[in-house]
Amino acid sequence: MKRRFNILGISALSLMFTITMDVSAEGLSHEQVADMLYLVISADRAVYTQKVVQRLTEEEKVITASEYFDDDAALPLPAQMFRFGSEYVSDLTEEFSYSLVSLDPINKKNGPVTDLEREGLEFVADNPEENFYGEEKLGGLWYFAAVYADIAVAEACASCHNNHQDSPRSDIEVGDVMGGVVIRIPID
Amino acid sequence: MLGISKKFIFIWSWFLVTLIAIVIVGVWMTVGGNRELLLVGQTTDAHHQIEVACETCHKAPIFSRPAAAVKAMNKACRTCHEDELAKSDDSHPRKKFRNPRMAQFWDKLDARLCTTCHTEHRPEITRESAVTVAMNFCIACHSEGDQDVRLIRTSHADLSFDTCASSGCHNYHDNRVLYSDFLVKHAQTDWLTQRPVHELTRQARLAYNSEDERLMHHDAQAPSAALSNPAILRDWADSAHAINAINCTSCHAPAIANGSDSAGVETVWEDKPSQKICADCHKFEQNTFRKGRHGMRQHPKIANPRDIDGKLNSYGLAHITPSFIKEWFSDPAVPMYMTVAEARLPMRSEAADLSVGCGSCHDPHSVNVAYAAVDACLTCHDDMHSEAYRKSPHYTLWLAEVAGEASLGTGVSCATCHMAKVERRGNLVTDHNQNDILRPNEKMIRPVCLDCHGLKFALDSLADDELIKRNFRGRADVHVESIEWALLREREKQDD
């Protein structure tokens, strides 16, 4: 199973690299590159949520999904898969990075850590249909940053966040903005 | 004499000696030669075994930019330790900190680099687990704003940061038994489980005792001279090798055993096969042995001596350089085996000349795993924990099992805890890398302790240094409050 995840991860990464390298060569803006990366990231996440987690846990009922998937011999939660992918990318490249953050994070480390993150999260919370773009300096380098709304697309998303003992919110409903996806691309 | 003063002679002599010294050091640094004199401080833990092979860690070319040198050095750390960190489900992996959103922490404690906390050659500041920063390092990231654990956890409100990693509550890398959910799940376990058996060890010992394919004395394939040694023949016939249909030729004449040579066994017979022959079948054991302290000198990533001939050739000096100069400027190779005398842990003086290879613990004919699991260790190790083992309840259980008076897997040998059985691709094998289940010692809890003991008992016992010295004879005088605090947090959340 681990190898299959690796193959999937490498395929997704290859596609992302192709996007960042090729479209930059054609003169696409950072904003367009970020939007395309977001499409890949969000598509992978949606497919995992619907075709793997939702199908096997709710429809087939052959396995559960758990935060402690190792101990429980269960599937990782979609948010965990997202973070594993994000860390996988960080391990391989500094060409771009992405994160899942929230104004009401279950794990405090996933709260906003820069002014831009906070501003972006507040913007997409108020304007779920729109994206937020900006630039910020981190660790001595300038980055283009894009923030996309992360919406509770299924009942499982809302109930998991509402019932988690570390969650500061218990009133999330399907369709609510739970946080945001932040994509960063170094400028020059 | 000729008007040359003593002062003049002294100054020029001093200048010449200095110049020669600079040239020699320069040649040692850039071409070759034993650089032990240039070691700027003692290396950490067992790294002294490989310290003459400087390029193992100092991978960047000598005049590289400092940033490139540090990057290359950290890559070297990962080359040897990455698997171990992955197995430990590392709580602070490098990849987590490479994301630029973590930049605010880079100046406080740059967790992207191993060398931030583990600096080599600094014995004066080296602490347990080769940590070279102050032990309150958690303060860098967990003491401010939303990350302030004193605000997030009411149980932590009055704690200082110098006890996070030394109290038995947290580790920087391996927290597989030290997170809330696990603590709560195992909160109510008794000190001893209902069936105190180390299951993987039981299964492994059961496999040793299988008689299905057993070879007997008369099955031995060997030259008549070898067959004439009854002691060796008896050892082999009683061994796990004979039980598992491993004949004499498998090690002494593999070409015969695998059918690639039909010549007489005498013609291809090797009296003393090398360690490589063990690895042909015991690959996992070899791989883990080379990653552990006993066999790290055989790690495939240890740098080879620099190529003095190649260097001289490139300068056009190969033919005119006398051989004694070449010898003087040749790197010493890392010996294949460590001798007991070289160990930094307390060892028996009478074992000083022994070296550590497969045959040191495993007699090649009897392959007596009971001997390898206890007696072999105590042949060399002479620290208080080892000394106390034969007075411990674990040893009593071990004796009972070896005598056939107790069930398989109930005995606790040195190897049960320090070279644990693991399952790999459906086979039970022995992990020969001690680091996989030791340092910090909480690593041992999941794969070993919990088969027989409750979590609370195990946490307390492993936090009590005096109890460890007594080899767990008696009860812990130390109590780790993690479980109570995890339960408190559960109650607080429910009340909310």
Side-chain angles (χ1 to χ4, degrees):
Chain A
M1 182 176 277
K2 193 172 181 181
R3 183 172 296 172
R4 195 170 299 166
F5 281 146
N6 284 345
I7 292 168
L8 279 172
I10 289 166
S11 308
L13 262 181
S14 306
L15 182 56
M16 289 177 182
F17 280 133
T18 308
I19 290 170
T20 48
M21 300 311 287
D22 288 355
V23 293
S24 296
E26 290 168 16
L28 293 182
S29 66
H30 287 114
E31 185 176 314
Q32 287 170 305
V33 176
D35 286 352
M36 294 169 84
L37 287 172
Y38 174 69
L39 276 180
V40 177
I41 295 164
S42 58
D44 281 353
R45 188 175 175 210
V47 169
Y48 178 69
T49 305
Q50 291 160 18
K51 299 290 185 189
V52 180
V53 178
Q54 186 83 11
R55 182 173 66 83
L56 296 180
T57 61
E58 299 296 325
E59 296 163 25
E60 306 285 348
K61 296 188 189 302
V62 293
I63 192 168
T64 57
S66 164
E67 180 181 355
Y68 305 104
F69 54 90
D70 266 339
D71 285 348
D72 299 341
L75 294 171
L77 300 172
Q80 287 176 305
M81 278 296 279
F82 183 100
R83 292 189 202 290
F84 295 153
S86 162
E87 288 176 4
Y88 201 107
V89 166
S90 286
D91 208 21
L92 296 180
T93 183
E94 292 174 343
E95 295 291 325
F96 71 98
S97 65
Y98 63 97
S99 326
L100 186 60
V101 296
S102 172
L103 293 168
D104 305 298
I106 288 178
N107 188 330
K108 298 291 181 195
K109 75 180 173 61
N110 299 319
V113 294
T114 69
D115 291 342
L116 184 142
E117 280 189 0
R118 182 171 293 282
E119 191 183 349
L121 287 172
E122 286 169 354
F123 178 84
V124 296
D126 296 337
N127 308 279
E129 303 294 323
E130 295 181 53
N131 308 324
F132 178 88
Y133 303 101
E135 291 181 4
E136 62 183 343
K137 194 174 185 183
L138 300 170
L141 286 178
W142 278 97
Y143 290 87
F144 170 83
V147 184
Y148 305 85
D150 180 46
I151 294 169
V153 293
E155 181 53 38
C157 310
S159 64
C160 187
H161 274 256
N162 288 337
N163 297 324
H164 196 286
Q165 66 168 356
D166 290 334
S167 177
R169 284 184 65 181
S170 55
D171 59 346
I172 296 173
E173 293 178 3
V174 174
D176 284 358
V177 176
M178 297 192 297
V181 174
V182 180
I183 295 175
R184 286 187 177 88
I185 301 168
I187 300 169
D188 299 329
Chain B
M1 187 178 68
L2 296 175
I4 301 174
S5 69
K6 282 183 180 176
K7 188 179 174 185
F8 181 84
I9 293 171
F10 174 78
I11 289 172
W12 272 100
S13 302
W14 176 82
F15 175 74
L16 275 175
V17 169
T18 307
L19 188 67
I20 291 168
I22 289 171
V23 169
I24 290 173
V25 169
V27 174
W28 279 345
M29 297 282 283
T30 57
V31 182
N34 190 339
R35 289 162 289 177
E36 278 177 285
L37 277 177
L38 306 180
L39 278 170
V40 292
Q42 183 176 291
T43 45
T44 58
D45 283 344
H47 285 172
H48 67 293
Q49 292 186 51
I50 56 169
E51 66 189 8
V52 295
C54 307
E55 284 73 23
T56 305
C57 301
H58 299 275
K59 284 188 171 300
I62 188 160
F63 295 116
S64 301
R65 287 179 299 109
V70 168
K71 191 175 177 184
M73 198 183 298
N74 278 271
K75 192 175 178 187
C77 306
R78 298 198 301 276
T79 298
C80 293
H81 294 282
E82 200 161 43
D83 286 351
E84 183 190 333
L85 289 170
K87 279 183 199 169
S88 72
D89 195 15
D90 190 5
S91 306
H92 295 85
R94 165 180 169 266
K95 59 190 175 187
K96 202 173 264 184
F97 295 91
R98 278 166 57 89
N99 191 315
R101 76 186 301 267
M102 306 302 280
Q104 60 169 327
F105 299 116
W106 293 347
D107 289 337
K108 297 176 182 173
L109 190 90
D110 194 343
R112 297 170 299 173
L113 302 171
C114 312
T115 50
T116 299
C117 298
H118 304 285
T119 310
E120 271 299 348
H121 306 294
R122 297 291 308 277
E124 71 280 8
I125 57 166
T126 302
R127 298 175 175 81
E128 198 176 342
S129 299
V131 173
T132 49
V133 290
M135 287 308 286
N136 64 350
F137 54 82
C138 307
I139 203 170
C141 304
H142 297 282
S143 63
E144 291 174 11
D146 289 343
Q147 300 294 319
D148 192 339
V149 290
R150 295 164 298 190
L151 301 177
I152 300 169
R153 302 273 195 278
T154 51
S155 55
H156 290 48
D158 300 321
L159 298 180
S160 61
F161 283 89
D162 54 355
T163 56
C164 309
S166 62
S167 59
C169 294
H170 301 286
N171 291 314
Y172 182 83
H173 292 295
D174 190 327
N175 289 287
R176 282 174 292 173
V177 295
L178 300 174
Y179 61 92
S180 295
D181 191 69
F182 191 83
L183 294 169
V184 170
K185 271 184 187 165
H186 293 80
Q188 305 305 335
T189 47
D190 293 332
W191 80 275
L192 197 64
T193 58
Q194 289 186 336
R195 183 173 170 269
V197 171
H198 190 248
E199 183 54 28
L200 294 182
T201 304
R202 185 189 74 81
Q203 290 176 25
R205 290 178 191 157
L206 209 55
Y208 293 145
N209 294 338
S210 165
E211 298 287 327
D212 296 350
E213 298 179 324
R214 182 179 197 116
L215 298 176
M216 310 298 283
H217 293 76
H218 57 264
D219 296 316
Q221 283 182 307
S224 50
L227 290 171
S228 66
N229 188 326
I232 289 179
L233 201 57
R234 189 176 57 245
D235 280 350
W236 167 78
D238 290 340
S239 75
H241 277 164
I243 289 171
N244 288 286
I246 306 300
N247 214 313
C248 313
T249 50
S250 300
C251 304
H252 291 280
I256 299 278
N258 65 28
S260 66
D261 196 325
S262 57
V265 68
E266 288 84 359
T267 58
V268 290
W269 184 265
E270 226 179 301
D271 270 338
K272 292 191 174 175
S274 73
Q275 193 172 287
K276 185 178 168 298
I277 207 77
C278 309
D280 282 350
C281 296
H282 300 283
K283 282 191 174 58
F284 177 82
E285 280 80 359
Q286 186 208 32
N287 286 340
T288 50
F289 175 73
R290 297 195 302 193
K291 289 177 181 170
R293 288 160 183 249
H294 286 159
M296 62 185 287
R297 280 185 164 167
Q298 295 172 32
H299 195 286
K301 296 295 183 183
I302 303 292
N304 290 321
R306 289 171 291 177
D307 179 12
I308 178 76
D309 287 325
K311 285 264 173 66
L312 289 172
N313 255 333
S314 65
Y315 300 138
L317 299 171
H319 300 300
I320 58 170
T321 308
S323 57
F324 78 90
I325 295 280
K326 278 188 194 175
E327 201 171 308
W328 206 45
F329 287 115
S330 291
D331 284 0
V334 175
M336 188 172 177
Y337 301 105
M338 178 185 71
T339 65
V340 173
E342 291 174 281
R344 283 176 170 171
L345 296 175
M347 295 286 161
R348 293 189 178 283
S349 55
E350 61 269 29
D353 295 333
L354 299 177
S355 59
V356 190
C358 302
S360 312
C361 304
H362 302 280
D363 178 88
H365 294 112
S366 67
V367 284
N368 184 342
V369 286
Y371 174 84
V374 171
D375 305 270
C377 314
L378 299 179
T379 300
C380 303
H381 286 269
D382 196 25
D383 54 279
M384 293 174 79
H385 178 74
S386 305
E387 273 289 297
Y389 172 68
R390 286 197 166 117
K391 295 173 189 162
S392 74
H394 283 160
Y395 182 59
T396 306
L397 292 167
W398 172 250
L399 286 180
E401 183 186 334
V402 171
E405 294 160 5
S407 306
L408 293 175
T410 54
V412 184
S413 67
C414 307
T416 306
C417 303
H418 298 291
M419 288 194 187
K421 293 278 181 257
V422 294
E423 196 171 350
R424 188 175 166 82
R425 295 175 188 158
N427 294 319
L428 290 167
V429 287
T430 304
D431 187 343
H432 281 59
N433 179 4
Q434 308 88 340
N435 296 325
D436 281 341
I437 50 171
L438 194 65
R439 291 188 182 88
N441 62 19
E442 290 90 358
K443 274 182 174 179
M444 193 181 286
I445 292 179
R446 257 188 197 241
V448 182
C449 307
L450 289 188
D451 272 14
C452 302
H453 295 292
L455 179 61
K456 187 177 172 186
F457 178 84
L459 283 172
D460 289 350
S461 300
L462 290 173
D464 187 339
D465 291 339
E466 292 305 314
L467 184 63
I468 292 171
K469 284 178 190 165
R470 298 199 303 272
N471 211 308
F472 306 107
R473 188 157 46 90
R475 288 291 182 104
D477 290 326
V478 172
H479 177 50
V480 180
E481 292 181 283
S482 306
I483 292 177
E484 284 92 330
W485 289 354
L487 289 171
L488 171 69
R489 186 159 160 260
E490 284 269 300
R491 285 197 298 274
E492 285 174 350
K493 289 290 175 185
Q494 283 164 8
D495 292 345
D496 286 348

